[in-house]
């Protein structure tokens, strides 16, 4: 149901998660959320097909018109109706258009009338125009608001708005300039951006251009379609006219110096019903887009200069898409059709994963090798390719001051102390720096002892010890005298011990501080017992060696409850181990297509995140060892590091693209997102269909119950 009924799929997914917190339920919800990444929300209110949508000039209001004989006004920001439906038409409403100043709304329909609504206060009827003996299929205002064009039967009427508004709302037929030339029903009218030309398309397959002042035809009709012309639209620079037809094609006409067919756009599989140009350039190509809607249920956004779609078709409607409209700033697209839904789409920039939280934390870095959350979750630290460490304000998404400098080569690893007052960083310069977080300065000179790059640093849970692992094959345990502020003078280096792991890539403590785990190039993970006090001449006893990976192990983490250990390797797998016995808990977790660089447990032990050179992050549901739907995709370079926030609701990731991304990984938030997108509840009939005799309940409590 994801393609033709995404709203129903999301509601059923939310119900599945309420019934059971399982890998399958979470995966279905995640898959539903990411299946239509540009779909923002639905608007529900019409009880029959919707024929037309239009944004107000300020972009704050959307109007929709339908076969339920009503017009509805919507608050765009809140996706909520603005008052009751406007009633006045006695048959299907086929078209709506705002005046350029936003003070009037014109609506037209099968009852052969045009209604003008005064929107300066509560909407009220300003005028009723009789348009002859045929349905009025299209209305459009000129850019200066002085004229209104309407199509009815085989003619186009041009109305003088000053004359119209001087009459009473109940006036009968008013004089209008009639433009005749089509041999069949006129389906669409549009003014050029400067208001000097009117274009019309009809069931005769022809497009006419008319002088808006005199009503004279500007040359012979444009012929090129093999079926009824359903829509015409001018580009904002007045260089192009686009026309769409029943034959499924869109024609682009170069208007200057004389109209000539420039391009045929083909992408829809059936009739194209509506066209609209954005008024602003799109970030991806620097030009306004053309949007088309079709009876094939899709919307296509076209790069008219390239003659091809700018992105994959937008899918989500369950039936024909009759109308599309861009917001004035070009950031939103509204669509509507036979499924009685209006949908808002995000058409800005590149496609985003639905779980990506806002824009990246980006300080114009080349690469980020490591990230860590502060214990209170308010800061992130990043260790960077440019030899710096940056502290980030998570809420404000910006650095807390300039980069911290002290290393003389790239920084490979960062870690906060448990009290959040210190930060440790290690790098390719073979040193470790302890930083005073509040003052953002080093606590003394760098710590030396390793003879090659420091790949990983980790504090013990009590903050009294720091472990460091290096490409020199050793692990050093550093004692920290917390009572004297952890200055360098009060650090004692225990004797380095050889981990027999080759180059040590990762170190981590168990939650009680009594175990230390490390991994490296020998394909192994090793665990040592730190319970006994370390003597300068003794190494901690080895308690387990975990063998199973087929290549270098880059990431290792012990679960917050101390029961499991996770490891990620160049062999593209994630493996889970029981800490107490050193036994594998299940078959390897597979899904990444390249090396796994880092792994991290969520605070509640239910999720594991893995970041990979394949530029993705995967979420694994640990009770079942299953991947939660598609990977998190947003990076454009290898993912080097992943870290959960202390509350477990957010995941941070960083890598070779120099960006830090924040992800929503809270299942309750996923459900709330689904409800906001669907903007309705299961109806009684839907509940009965899928849940039988069970008592009906509201899936989205913040929304009204379904009828």
């Amino acid at each position: 149901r994801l393609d033709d009924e995404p709203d129903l799929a999301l509601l059923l997914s939310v119900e599945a998660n309420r019934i059971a917190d399982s890998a399958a339920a979470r995966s279905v919800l995640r898959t539903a959320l990411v299946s239509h990444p540009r779909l923002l929300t639905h608007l529900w209110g019409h009880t029959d097909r919707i024929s037309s949508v239009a944004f107000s000039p300020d972009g704050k209001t959307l109007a929709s018109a339908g076969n339920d004989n009503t017009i509805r006004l919507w608050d765009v920001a809140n996706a909520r109706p603005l008052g009751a439906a406007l009633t006045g038409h006695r048959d299907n409403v086929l078209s709506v258009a705002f005046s350029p100043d936003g003070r009037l709304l014109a609506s037209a329909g099968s009852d052969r009338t045009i209604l003008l609504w005064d929107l300066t206060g509560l909407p009220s009827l300003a005028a009723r125009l009789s348009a002859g003996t045929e349905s009025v299929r299209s209305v459009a205002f000129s850019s200066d608001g002085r004229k209104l064009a309407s199509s009815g039967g085989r003619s186009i009427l041009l109305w003088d708005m000053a004359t119209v508004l001087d009459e009473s709302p109940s006036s009968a037929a008013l004089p209008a300039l009639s433009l005749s030339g089509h041999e069949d029903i006129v389906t669409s009218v549009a003014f050029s951006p400067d208001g000097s030309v009117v274009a019309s398309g009809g069931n005769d397959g022809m497009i006419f251009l008319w002088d808006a002042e005199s009503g004279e035809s500007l040359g012979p009709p444009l012929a090129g379609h093999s079926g009824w012309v359903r829509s015409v639209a001018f580009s904002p620079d007045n260089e192009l006219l686009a026309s769409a037809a029943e034959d499924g094609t869109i024609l682009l006409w170069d208007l200057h110096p004389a109209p000539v067919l420039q391009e045929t756009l083909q992408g829809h599989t059936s009739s194209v019903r509506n066209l609209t140009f954005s008024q602003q350039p799109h970030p991806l190509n620097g030009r306004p887009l053309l949007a088309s809607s079709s009876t094939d249920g899709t919307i296509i956004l076209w790069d008219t200069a390239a003659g091809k779609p700018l992105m994959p078709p937008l899918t989500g409607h369950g039936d024909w898409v009759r109308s599309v409209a861009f917001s004035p700033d070009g950031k939103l697209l509204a669509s509507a059709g036979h499924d009685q839904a209006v949908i808002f789409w995000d058409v800005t920039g590149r496609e985003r994963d639905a779980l990506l939280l806002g824009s990246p934390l980006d300080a114009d870095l080349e690469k980020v090798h490591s990230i860590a959350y502060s214990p209170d979750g308010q800061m992130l630290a990043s260790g960077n390719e440019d030899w710096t460490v940056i502290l980030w304000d998570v809420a404000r998404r910006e650095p807390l001051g300039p980069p911290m400098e002290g290393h003389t080569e790239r920084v490979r690893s960062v870690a906060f102390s448990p009290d959040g007052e210190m930060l440790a960083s290690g790098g390719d310069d073979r040193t470790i720096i302890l930083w005073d977080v509040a003052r953002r300065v080093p606590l003394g000179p760098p710590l030396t002892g390793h003879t090659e790059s420091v790949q990983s640093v980790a504090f013990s849970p009590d903050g009294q010890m720091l472990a460091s692992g290096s490409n020199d094959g050793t692990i050093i345990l550093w004692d920290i005298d917390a009572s004297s502020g952890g200055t360098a003078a009060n650090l004692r280096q225990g004797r380095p011990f050889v981990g027999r792991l080759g180059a040590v890539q990762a170190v981590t403590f168990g939650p009680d501080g009594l175990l230390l785990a490390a991994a490296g190039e020998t394909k192994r993970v090793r665990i040592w017992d730190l319970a006994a006090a370390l003597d300068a001449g003794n190494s901690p006893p080895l308690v387990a060696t975990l063998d199973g990976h087929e290549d270098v192990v880059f990431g290792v983490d012990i679960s917050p409850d101390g029961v499991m250990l996770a490891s990620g390797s160049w062999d593209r797998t994630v493996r889970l181990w029981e800490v107490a016995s050193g036994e594998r808990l299940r078959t390897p977790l597979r899904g990444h297509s390249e090396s796994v660089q880092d792994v991290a447990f969520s605070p509640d032990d239910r999720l594991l995140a893995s970041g990979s050179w394949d530029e993705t992050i995967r979420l694994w549901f640990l009770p079942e060892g299953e991947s939660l739907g598609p990977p998190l995709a947003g990076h454009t370079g290898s993912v080097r590091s992943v870290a959960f926030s202390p509350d477990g609701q957010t995941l941070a990731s960083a890598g070779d693209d120099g960006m830090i991304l924040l992800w929503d990984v809270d299942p309750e938030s996923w459900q709330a997102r689904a409800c906001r997108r669907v903007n309705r509840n299961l109806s009684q009939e839907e509940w009965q269909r899928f849940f039988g005799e069970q008592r009906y309940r509201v899936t989205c409590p913040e929304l009204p119950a379904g009828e």
Side-chain angles (χ1 to χ4, degrees), residues 523-524 546-551 571 573 575 577 584 588:
K523 313 174 189 178
R524 294 173 173 169
L546 313 180
D547 283 309
H549 281 291
E550 299 173 1
D551 214 321
D571 65 12
T573 70
R575 295 176 187 255
W577 315 80
R584 278 185 287 180

Side-chain angles (χ1 to χ4, degrees), residues 202-274:
N203 286 356
D204 55 7
M206 299 298 174
I207 300 121
F208 278 81
L209 298 177
W210 312 85
D211 185 294
E213 287 297 330
S214 66
E216 296 295 321
S217 175
L218 296 173
L222 308 181
H225 288 290
S226 60
W228 299 346
V229 177
R230 292 296 190 180
S231 183
V232 289
F234 285 92
S235 64
D237 62 5
N238 203 29
E239 294 295 321
L240 292 176
L241 177 74
S243 59
E246 195 74 17
D247 58 14
T249 65
I250 299 164
L251 301 185
L252 298 180
W253 305 86
D254 187 339
L255 296 178
H256 303 291
V260 61
L261 181 61
Q262 173 181 291
E263 187 86 46
T264 300
L265 307 180
Q266 293 182 310
H268 288 291
T269 59
S270 59
S271 172
V272 183
R273 306 296 294 192
N274 192 221

Side-chain angles (χ1 to χ4, degrees), residues 412-413 426-428 450-458 467-477 496-508 516-528 552-556 568 597:
R412 292 287 188 179
S413 182
D428 285 356
H450 287 292
T451 60
E452 293 188 38
S453 173
V454 179
Q455 293 290 310
S456 182
V457 290
S468 58
S470 167
N471 279 354
D472 63 13
T474 67
I475 298 164
I476 296 179
L477 296 173
F497 64 93
V498 178
R500 298 189 183 279
L501 294 165
V504 179
Q505 299 297 312
V507 293
T508 188
L516 178 76
E521 67 178 345
T522 62
K523 313 174 189 178
R524 294 173 173 169
V525 178
R526 289 192 155 198
I527 304 174
W528 292 270
V552 179
V553 182
F554 287 106
V556 66
Q597 292 289 295

Side-chain angles (χ1 to χ4, degrees), residues 6 22 25 40 43 59 85 239-241 254 305 353 376 389 391 397 408 480 488 500 557 603 653 669 678:
S22 66
L40 295 176
L43 308 181
E239 294 295 321
L240 292 176
L241 177 74
D254 187 339
D353 190 296
D376 61 8
V389 174
L391 292 178
R397 295 176 170 270
T408 58
I480 300 175
R500 298 189 183 279
D557 195 20
S653 61
S669 175
V678 175

Side-chain angles (χ1 to χ4, degrees), residues 33 354-357 664 669-678:
L33 281 170
L355 302 188
L356 192 58
L357 291 168
D664 180 358
S669 175
W670 292 7
Q671 294 177 37
R673 283 168 173 262
C675 286
R676 287 195 299 271
R677 182 179 293 186
V678 175

Side-chain angles (χ1 to χ4, degrees), residues 41-44 79-80 674-681 703:
T41 193
H42 292 74
L43 308 181
W44 304 97
R80 291 287 184 269
C675 286
R676 287 195 299 271
R677 182 179 293 186
V678 175
N679 208 12
R680 71 174 180 91
N681 268 294
L703 298 171

